[in-house]
Amino acid sequence: MEAASAYLPDDVVIEILARLPAKQLCRFKCVSRTWRRLISDLAHSDRFAQTLSGLFYYRHRPHDGAHRPCFAGLRAPPPPGVDTALSFLPPSCAGMELLDSCNGLLLLRSSRVPWSPRPRFYVVCNPATGDWVTLPQPSHAPGEMCYDDAMMADKNTCVAALGFDPATSLHFHVFQLVEKEDQFVDVVVAMEIYSSETGKWILKESGWSKSILCNLQMTYLNGFLHFGIIDDDAVASVDTKGQTWRVTHVQQRRDDPDDGGDGFVGHSQGRLLYVDANLNDDSISIYVLEDHDDRWEWTLKHSVSKLDLIQPRKSPRGVYFGVAAIHPDDDLIYFYEGERLMSYDMTHGIVHVICTLSEVSPVHRPFLPYVPFYSGPLASPSAD
């Protein structure tokens, strides 16, 4: 094939490569030195599909208790032209909290400034191009706790997520969950959704038929935001218009039926996945959501013992273990055990230690998968 490809002009090769998904594109680097050069050339990056290049995470600084975002690269060399330090952001965005990552874009929220009258705000940016945009204010201030007349916590907007799929549209959406305390737990009562196409927020009351407690494990796929539900092996989903709300239950077999609801939700190869890595279980199970005669059902895809994942340790219990991310284009699960970031190949059963991450902040969902997106600028009403 190398001899035949040598007679093709570069522009023809680029047109061929531009039609390939990310997984196949990586394999085609082996065809010839010319094809490897074209695929690696930053000038063509906006034409080619990209794949997972690393994970953003928070590192805890013991000297001041602060948390700062860091990047753990999964590929060598790192993706060209990507500013993972976000140094392109202006001083007004210093110290922003990184909330989410979706197909090359990042969602950030300004830090809380004591006694400042200025409300917190959202920023969406692209580390590969340096583009960024500040969002208008939703009806509920971002990242705030609202109190009633009795000074009891009434509503909070601490959870937000990003939705972006350049394969269908260059516009993005931001989901802000509005939660209200009910018997000492925060229940999702509404959703505010921002569209970069309209430049406006819409407020929708919860359309779920049951009380939903978000476990902060969220992903965006096929026009829906999906997240796990606390104390329930189920996934809640809502579309970008706030018109379709659904809950799909994962049929688990547990000794204790109440011991659930800490599943990790992600997607791979166009399918939604649910990873059950309950701390009280000795194994993890991966489920895939499939359409069976117009009924969405979770099917067991893979199961593996935690002992097989974290060797040479003798026992997974008492070890800080959790799922970090799911590869969007391959059968890979990333997880952390203590300070080690590791990958597990479900197809071949291979465990690989990627790196050691010191001072990782022990917070919910500390890892955000990042796939570079080289096209720009960010879509907005004024840009249309």
Side-chain angles (χ1 to χ4, degrees):
M1 186 172 183
E2 181 174 358
S5 65
Y7 295 99
L8 295 176
D10 285 358
D11 56 346
V12 174
V13 175
I14 292 172
E15 288 297 324
I16 295 173
L17 298 176
R19 301 173 186 272
L20 297 177
K23 187 174 181 179
Q24 293 186 17
L25 187 67
C26 291
R27 294 174 178 173
F28 271 64
K29 286 184 178 181
C30 302
V31 170
S32 69
R33 291 188 179 91
T34 300
W35 284 40
R36 173 180 288 274
R37 173 180 58 81
L38 293 174
I39 294 173
S40 303
D41 192 338
L42 183 60
H44 307 135
S45 296
D46 61 341
R47 298 288 310 279
F48 298 154
Q50 302 295 321
T51 191
L52 186 68
S53 66
L55 305 174
F56 282 96
Y57 69 98
Y58 274 99
R59 175 172 291 172
H60 178 69
R61 298 188 302 193
H63 64 279
D64 60 5
H67 300 80
R68 66 181 183 89
C70 298
F71 185 77
L74 303 178
R75 297 181 350 196
V82 177
D83 184 358
T84 58
L86 309 184
S87 60
F88 56 86
L89 293 175
S92 60
C93 296
M96 297 199 76
E97 180 183 2
L98 179 58
L99 301 180
D100 200 8
S101 171
C102 187
N103 289 316
L105 303 187
L106 303 181
L107 173 65
L108 303 100
R109 183 173 59 207
S110 61
S111 301
R112 181 178 287 104
V113 180
W115 313 112
S116 173
R118 184 183 182 185
R120 302 173 74 181
F121 58 91
Y122 292 116
V123 167
V124 172
C125 70
N126 185 342
T129 63
D131 292 316
W132 60 277
V133 61
T134 300
L135 305 191
Q137 284 292 310
S139 60
H140 294 80
E144 298 293 341
M145 295 287 292
C146 303
Y147 297 90
D148 58 20
D149 295 337
M151 293 303 294
M152 297 294 291
D154 182 30
K155 294 180 180 179
N156 77 73
T157 54
C158 297
V159 181
L162 178 64
F164 177 60
D165 183 0
T168 58
S169 172
L170 293 181
H171 288 284
F172 62 85
H173 294 83
V174 174
F175 301 80
Q176 176 174 267
L177 279 64
V178 181
E179 298 177 297
K180 185 174 183 178
E181 186 175 316
D182 181 14
Q183 297 182 355
F184 306 105
V185 295
D186 291 330
V187 177
V188 181
V189 296
M191 188 81 67
E192 291 203 70
I193 306 172
Y194 173 81
S195 167
S196 67
E197 183 174 12
T198 64
K200 297 179 180 179
W201 291 87
I202 58 172
L203 175 62
K204 295 288 186 176
E205 298 298 320
S206 171
W208 290 301
S209 59
K210 59 180 292 183
S211 296
I212 300 296
L213 285 70
C214 176
N215 74 353
L216 306 185
Q217 308 294 344
M218 314 173 81
T219 193
Y220 180 80
L221 178 67
N222 295 333
F224 281 79
L225 176 69
H226 311 270
F227 60 86
I229 303 175
I230 295 177
D231 296 332
D232 192 358
D233 289 309
V235 175
S237 307
V238 59
D239 72 333
T240 57
K241 298 184 182 299
Q243 295 177 345
T244 303
W245 309 70
R246 66 172 182 245
V247 173
T248 51
H249 290 269
V250 183
Q251 301 299 320
Q252 301 277 42
R253 293 182 179 179
R254 298 187 187 276
D255 295 333
D256 183 357
D258 295 326
D259 187 17
D262 197 27
F264 185 97
V265 180
H267 67 272
S268 179
Q269 302 169 77
R271 300 190 297 175
L272 194 66
L273 299 185
Y274 180 93
V275 183
D276 175 26
N278 190 282
L279 294 177
N280 296 321
D281 291 341
D282 291 328
S283 64
I284 67 172
S285 300
I286 299 96
Y287 297 81
V288 59
L289 187 63
E290 297 181 333
D291 185 1
H292 295 280
D293 297 326
D294 296 328
R295 290 184 58 187
W296 291 101
E297 298 179 357
W298 291 97
T299 303
L300 181 63
K301 172 183 174 69
H302 190 83
S303 184
V304 60
S305 168
K306 289 180 183 177
L307 284 174
D308 294 335
L309 295 180
I310 63 175
Q311 293 287 359
R313 308 270 184 155
K314 294 183 178 180
S315 173
R317 307 223 173 170
V319 176
Y320 189 55
F321 176 94
V323 179
I326 298 173
H327 198 293
D329 304 306
D330 216 334
D331 288 331
L332 291 175
I333 300 290
Y334 298 92
F335 63 96
Y336 51 97
E337 177 264 331
E339 295 180 341
R340 298 191 301 177
L341 178 63
M342 312 170 76
S343 66
Y344 171 64
D345 186 329
M346 290 183 283
T347 301
H348 303 96
I350 298 174
V351 177
H352 174 64
V353 178
I354 298 171
C355 60
T356 298
L357 306 174
S358 62
E359 302 171 352
V360 176
S361 174
V363 296
H364 263 304
R365 200 187 180 208
F367 296 95
L368 299 173
Y370 175 71
V371 177
F373 178 64
Y374 289 98
S375 296
L378 290 173
S380 64
S382 60
D384 292 341

